Amino acid sequence: MSPEPFPVRCHVVTGKGGTGKTTVAAALALALAAGGHRTLLVETEGRQGIAQLFDTPPLPYEERRVAVARGGGEVKALAIDLEEALLEYLELFYSMKRAGRALRKMGAVDFATTIAPGLRDVLLTGKVKEAVTRKVDGQRVYDAVVVDAPPTGRITRFLNVTDEVAGLARSGPIKTQSDGVMAVLRSPQTAVHLVTLLEDMPVQETADAIDELTATGLPVGSVLVNMATEPLLPPASLARAAEGAITAAELAPALAAGGLPADPAIAEGLVAEAVEHARRWQSQDALRSRVAELGRPTVELPMLIGPIDLGSLYELAGRLEAHLGLGAAA
């Protein structure tokens, strides 16, 4: 038994744009907080997506509680502000709090991160590392930290800060900071989870990202298949519908039995929907084998009807609790 609540404490969530990675990251934070644990959900892209999901005002650069999880757990959220992170860094390593604020007024902060983009990622990941390792009176402040990270196309560069700072500094605080970050990110306490859809492009990007992360020595976690649909027809009917073999005439008795008008237009519309559903299901089902070939633990999260709200996040969190085996631990 590990003395820590979870063997993995830093959960980095990435995915192709449009796959719902922010939603999944929020649900994962709720799942990890179940049973009385404390979780920090970190946003790195400045979109305030977490605040929208939890229906709270825009998050400042401080950790604020956004939800209570099953069993009394707590989820706090932090939207990392790049300027504030740089000022914090300058104060911590160079005791330059006042000078740093003067630099901000001069626009030097934007200038520095523009000419040295690697510095941006060092600051962001450095804040994540600080939260993961933070202790008060010898106790971890957070049982888990969940990072809503950049998309798969940029995730390896974002996490591999050692290479990013190679051209900035070969020694000194920046190099020390990046080495400390990589010690956490490459350790068993970190896992990079990839959110995908059962569509060709997201699955391919997921496969490419897994290859890149593995080659860089970054630990890959689970593949989280989001917005997966369930078949609405029995297998035999699905096959016939996908072949276009169902006719409006076949549906007329069923409409009548249900007390609906046997209108040919209604029947034709239902046939078209059945065919579209069956073909979409077949296409998605075919991609499941490609996902399985990735060789990672996989969980499917359902397609939810309507806008995503807090109730939706709790529903997705329940699926993730079961996937991560958190039910017994809670």
Side-chain angles (χ1 to χ4, degrees):
M1 294 291 291
S2 169
E4 299 285 354
F6 312 120
V8 175
R9 301 186 56 256
C10 180
H11 298 261
V12 180
V13 180
T14 184
K16 186 180 185 301
T19 58
K21 71 176 178 64
T22 299
T23 298
V24 174
L28 179 59
L30 278 170
L32 290 164
H37 295 123
R38 294 161 299 179
T39 302
L40 178 66
L41 176 58
V42 180
E43 183 175 276
T44 62
E45 296 184 279
R47 295 184 295 106
Q48 289 292 339
I50 292 173
Q52 294 174 35
L53 280 174
F54 288 97
D55 194 24
T56 67
L59 296 168
Y61 186 55
E62 63 181 49
E63 294 155 20
R64 288 192 173 180
R65 188 170 77 171
V66 293
V68 175
R70 179 183 62 77
E74 178 182 67
V75 176
K76 286 189 175 182
L78 170 68
I80 299 180
D81 179 271
L82 195 58
E83 285 191 347
E84 292 294 339
L86 179 55
L87 295 178
E88 188 175 72
Y89 174 85
L90 291 174
E91 180 181 2
L92 179 64
F93 288 101
Y94 295 98
S95 301
M96 290 177 60
K97 185 175 183 178
R98 288 187 178 180
R101 297 194 181 279
L103 289 172
R104 179 168 65 176
K105 291 180 180 179
M106 295 167 54
V109 173
D110 286 339
F111 178 73
T113 54
T114 298
I115 65 170
L119 179 60
R120 177 184 185 278
D121 292 342
V122 171
L123 293 170
L124 294 173
T125 54
K127 185 61 181 177
V128 171
K129 177 252 184 183
E130 185 276 328
V132 171
T133 58
R134 189 190 311 162
K135 291 184 178 182
V136 174
D137 296 328
Q139 299 294 317
R140 301 278 189 188
V141 173
Y142 293 109
D143 298 308
V145 175
V146 178
V147 184
D148 179 20
T152 46
R154 208 174 78 79
I155 188 62
T156 303
R157 181 177 177 182
F158 172 73
L159 296 175
N160 192 24
V161 292
T162 300
D163 285 354
E164 287 295 291
V165 303
L168 294 176
R170 298 186 181 279
S171 62
I174 294 179
K175 180 66 164 59
T176 300
Q177 172 86 331
S178 68
D179 288 346
V181 168
M182 292 312 300
V184 170
L185 294 182
R186 285 201 171 113
S187 74
Q189 66 182 314
T190 294
V192 184
H193 307 295
L194 298 106
V195 182
T196 188
L197 304 179
L198 290 174
E199 297 174 4
D200 286 317
M201 285 296 292
V203 170
Q204 185 58 54
E205 279 206 22
T206 298
D208 293 342
I210 288 175
D211 289 343
E212 291 178 4
L213 291 164
T214 302
T216 314
L218 291 161
V220 179
S222 298
V223 174
L224 310 174
V225 179
N226 196 23
M227 294 185 269
T229 57
E230 299 290 338
L232 302 177
L233 299 170
S237 298
L238 272 174
R240 291 191 65 227
E243 294 169 359
I246 294 179
T247 65
E250 290 180 71
L251 297 186
L255 290 173
L260 299 173
D263 186 334
I266 294 177
E268 290 289 351
L270 288 173
V271 167
E273 288 192 16
V275 170
E276 180 185 357
H277 167 73
R279 289 176 177 171
R280 184 170 62 250
W281 168 256
Q282 281 193 344
S283 175
Q284 289 188 353
D285 200 40
L287 285 167
R288 284 185 169 87
S289 61
R290 287 183 58 189
V291 172
E293 289 170 2
L294 298 175
R296 305 308 309 164
T298 302
V299 62
E300 290 193 10
L301 300 174
M303 168 77 79
L304 301 178
I305 305 301
I308 299 296
D309 56 15
L310 192 54
S312 305
L313 294 179
Y314 280 115
E315 182 176 346
L316 297 176
R319 295 282 187 112
L320 290 169
E321 281 186 54
H323 169 66
L324 297 171
L326 299 178

